[in-house]
Amino acid sequence: MNRFAALLDRLAHEASRNARLRLLTDYFSTTADPDRGYALAAFTGALSFKHAKPTLLRTLIAERTDPMLFALSYDYVGDLAETVALMWPAGGEVDLGASGHNRPPSPTLSDIVETLHHTKKADLPQQLAGWLDQLDEDGRWALLKLITGALRIGVSARLAKTAIAAIGHKAPDDVEHIWHGLKPPYLDLFAWLEGLADAPQSSNPAPFRPPMLSHALEVVEFETLAPTDFVAEWKWDGIRVQASAGRDEAGRYATRLYSRTGEDISAAFPDVLDAMQEAGFGETAVDGELLIVIDGRVQPFGVLQQRLNRKTVSAKLVVEFPAHVRVYDLLSENGEDLRALHFVERRARLEAFMTRIENPRFDLSRLVLFETWDELARARRDPASAGAGDDAQAVEGVMLKRRDSIYVPGRPKGPWFKWKRDPYAVDAVLMYAQRGHGKRSSFYSDFTFGVWRGSELVPVGKAYFGFTDVELVELDRFVRDNTVNRFGPVREVTHEIDKGLVLEIAFEGLNRSTRHKSGVAMRFPRIARIRRDKSPRDADQLEILEALIGAAR
Amino acid sequence: MAATDLLTLTPAGLYCPPGDFYVDPVRAVPRALITHGHSDHARAGHGSVLATRETLAIMAIRYGANFTRAQQIAAYGDTHDIGGVAIRFHPAGHVLGSAQISVEHKGCRIVVSGDYKRERDPTCAPFEPARCDVFITEATFALPVFRHPPAAREIERLLRSHRLFPERTHLVGAYGLGKAQRVMALLREAGYERPIYMHGAAEKLTEFFLCEGAPLGEVHKVAAADHGKLAGEIVICPPTALNDLWSRKFSDPVNAFASGWMRIRARARQSGVELPLVISDHADWDALCATILETQCAEVWVTHGQEEALVHWAQSRGLRARPLHLAGYGDEEAGDTIVEEAQ
């Protein structure tokens, strides 16, 4: 447990992706089985401990510490698991300078995971207390974070898989390809990566296929591309999903829904899975966009968010926000892998498939017809009159796919492009700044900005990119020279009617927000330009943003 | 004699009426007794200063030879008489030259502990508990969540990171008086043999530590042209320099910070530190509690820090306890205080 704890501790402070990757690779290549496998399971969300709840931690610590000292400490630290880990009375450590000799060996990660697997709820408090007695502060912290399911250390499943792939000099997608048949502690996976065994056979009847991704289109590229080589579709503002179905060795039919990163999100979308059963999906996998459709209209992304990032879903939410998949590719049909076919061939098979299943939860992503790039540009500017109709508000651009493109995992350059609609823009006033992380930790690089509501500036968002390195230096200097207040790491800068810095903020959309004072939340805001030519009085009014939300409804 | 008549709180700091002197005054006074050389405790401009030889030397380095009109050396264990008050200095284990000051008059003994720690420090004399009636303790880390791990373990974490990222410069923020030199000495104890680099701000004090025999090994000042060449080296700098223009010139630096505050993850994250090292020159919770009991005092006065928790704990042990609201003392471990050597 100590090595895992040390890894978590280090990851929790490391902002750079490359450094995190190095830390992970170092851990996985120098830690023995089965510990490293359970660590991998922790990072990929394959572990869950349903009985370990915050109330259990409170009870355990209350039995061991003075309530007032606990209250003062919790108030100071601000995190329950961390407070308990730090305060836990440790036997043998209290003597000044003396080291505890007779402490039992601390449990390994495997001991913990395997024991918890069959520990009854009633026995959990005693079991947990025993471990907490044996571990040091970092070990206790890691244990409590692990079992309460709140690691929050910035390691995605994808990053962990990338790290283990590096051990065997494999591509992350090679791991992805077999992943869903594997179970913790992944002995077969590590044996394969270390060259000691063949690749594990995926036994997942409804596997995830690593998706093909697109590049953003640079306008200059048009000159080199022929319109006749491409077809176009609307780019919908939902999330990319893969619906996969198949049969296991025993002949049982299985259906699954995956996110773009291969996370199994089936449990949160029973409505989609039921529809796959009803529709007679067969042993088929499709690639599409998950949307919420109410009364035949695609809802904005903010509505879809009600269904996202949930482990399970209530019947009420399923009825209120019905999920829908707009299908744009067919990856396999009745066990036949179609990914080596050209796009137009897959498309023909997809159209036939969609006609056959005819289910209201699934529909076909329609093509946008065009002959010249100018014509496509007009469609992109005005999707409503180019066929998107009432759903135009949920269109965030167009996708371009080469007619002869085969379906390859990853992001190959050339076959697919996304051409997003132009971002919205607003002029806002810089209000607060905070220092960045990692390489930018010495710069003020997280900026909170506001617009006018009457005579008052209200914050509407926070941006930490979009600017060039030169602009960052300029912004940093402005913050240092114009600080009027400090709140811990945050600096408030001058923002008066005629004194302050105006920033042009580009963003992709707006949601209503109950968290922000202004009532709106921007999606993907970034600093497009520093507007030295403008004074704060020229910045925009909140009404402009409110009107934009209204239009999106 | 009542303790509150022996030492009273005044705007200039703790004052002893029968001896007519102050302890660690925050403004210039005719006669000052100084516990240690940190700038909030040791200020310039007093009429006379009684302190350990090392503390007097440190004050002279920081403020110049004329930092006081008259000075007198107090050796650990010697007794001085000031107006009938018996004064004695005991090692506090905080930094080189640091002392607790015992003040005794008419059967009442108060120990002003200044700042102290109980963990071994290769750069200074270890803390010696002194029996007293009233113990005045600091409370910088007086919450049960603060239990400092052994410093050697934290140094091992630094060295492990150094092995894992051999192409990056490891910048270690450490306060310039005491902490910086302690980190250097601990690195040597752990077997680190490469030259250690340091920010110019700590140069004179580090030279002083070397003259006093501190086992720091080969130490170089970072020259302006060197920044890019120090890939793979360990560089010690004032905490404020981590967020300074100065630190931007190193090659892909790993920012480490040696401070007791690094125990709290949110606090470490807030300061943008990638490698927090829990190394403190202050007593942790367990050491504070154990020390109070060791002095066998009947009463505790708790100052600068988390007074509430320690007062509550002492009272629950049947001791008289109260917070003593001394103003003007900073916290050198916080890293946001201005490091005057850097100017």
Side-chain angles (χ1 to χ4, degrees), chain A residues 25-43:
Chain A
T25 306
D26 178 60
Y27 173 84
F28 285 124
S29 56
T30 58
T31 304
D33 292 319
D35 266 23
R36 59 178 175 180
Y38 288 119
L40 180 59
F43 293 128

Side-chain angles (χ1 to χ4, degrees), chain A residues 3 9-10 13-14 22-23 66 68 73 76 82 86 88-90 136 138 141 435 442-443 480, chain B residues 143-145 147 153 157 160-161 164-165 167 243 248 255 261 263-265 267 274 276 308 312:
Chain A
R3 289 217 54 202
D9 182 51
R10 190 71 208 267
H13 296 105
E14 185 57 72
R22 286 266 287 282
L23 291 164
D66 178 293
M68 178 161 168
S73 297
Y76 188 87
E82 187 174 345
L86 292 174
W88 192 266
D136 66 9
D138 286 343
W141 172 75
R435 271 204 291 271
S442 55
F443 290 96
R480 288 172 194 272
Chain B
L143 279 174
V145 290
R147 278 151 147 175
R153 200 178 88 189
R157 294 179 57 232
R160 196 181 161 80
S161 176
L164 183 62
F165 299 108
E167 76 291 358
N243 297 317
R248 295 180 191 171
N255 278 2
W261 294 114
R263 187 78 267 183
I264 307 296
R265 288 180 166 78
R267 182 121 180 196
E274 292 154 285
E308 199 179 353
H312 171 79

Side-chain angles (χ1 to χ4, degrees), chain B residues 105-124:
Chain B
H105 188 59
K106 293 185 181 165
C108 174
R109 184 191 288 165
I110 304 180
V111 168
V112 185
S113 62
D115 290 335
Y116 65 98
K117 72 169 175 289
R118 305 300 302 268
E119 201 187 2
R120 196 186 71 85
D121 180 341
T123 67
C124 71

